Amino acid sequence: MADNSNHEKNSEQNQIYSSELLEEARNFFSQDKYASKATGIQLEQIGEHYAQCSLEIQDIHKNAYGGVMGGVIFTLADFTFAVSSNFRQPLTVSVTAQVNFIGMAKGKKLISQSKLIKDGRTTCLYQIDINDELGTKVAFVTISGMKLSQ
């Protein structure tokens, strides 16, 4: 059974937007062709400074040893950051990122959730947690961003 405790905590801490706003966000971020089309990332939930995204693991996502490529995991985290920091927010770009790979996915789906750590006037800091649907911790990523417009 999947561990939903992180999801429940994030849902309590973040105002989850309506299905209409989720569709608005999906339409806008579908323009990120690499994440949405080439990689297959799906936007599952969105809230104030929050996003949950997922990726069905396919053979194209795997390295020679059968694990998920680090670049795929980073792309999932980067897209989750982009949605969290840009939807109904000032235009924000990533400045730095640190990926901490902590385990191999055992399931068939990766799920990412963002957590706003600091929201300053011109910069922000997020943590993106990535697990599989079985609750296996795969990675956590910290990304700092710069707000280009106010």
Side-chain angles (χ1 to χ4, degrees):
M1 179 174 250
D3 176 13
N4 290 324
S5 60
N6 280 342
H7 168 70
E8 290 168 4
K9 285 181 206 168
N10 277 333
S11 294
E12 292 169 8
Q13 293 172 354
N14 300 291
Q15 174 192 355
I16 302 300
Y17 292 152
S18 68
S19 57
E20 292 83 15
L21 288 176
L22 176 60
E23 283 308 309
E24 179 185 326
R26 284 177 175 158
N27 288 335
F28 180 78
F29 289 101
S30 70
Q31 298 306 305
D32 186 332
K33 304 291 186 201
Y34 182 74
S36 64
K37 303 291 185 240
T39 310
I41 297 170
Q42 300 292 313
L43 175 55
E44 303 287 342
Q45 282 190 338
I46 190 159
E48 186 173 353
H49 299 287
Y50 172 78
Q52 177 179 313
C53 300
S54 67
L55 170 77
E56 295 288 336
I57 300 169
Q58 299 176 14
D59 283 342
I60 196 163
H61 299 128
K62 295 181 179 180
N63 61 27
Y65 293 102
V68 178
M69 289 284 295
V72 172
I73 293 167
F74 176 76
T75 299
L76 178 58
D78 188 48
F79 183 73
T80 305
F81 166 79
V83 174
S84 304
S85 64
N86 281 289
F87 188 68
R88 297 192 157 211
Q89 304 295 326
L91 175 60
T92 303
V93 296
S94 58
V95 176
T96 64
Q98 179 175 332
V99 182
N100 299 279
F101 299 104
I102 53 179
M104 284 187 64
K106 293 179 175 68
K108 297 179 180 180
K109 181 178 184 178
L110 294 177
I111 301 164
S112 62
Q113 293 185 333
S114 63
K115 179 181 178 187
L116 177 65
I117 305 298
K118 170 74 174 161
D119 189 30
R121 189 174 55 79
T122 59
T123 62
C124 59
L125 178 64
Y126 283 80
Q127 178 173 315
I128 313 298
D129 294 313
I130 301 175
N131 301 317
D132 66 15
E133 82 279 12
L134 304 174
T136 306
K137 295 181 185 316
V138 176
F140 71 91
V141 182
T142 53
I143 302 177
S144 64
M146 177 165 290
K147 299 174 186 182
L148 299 181
S149 62
Q150 295 290 322

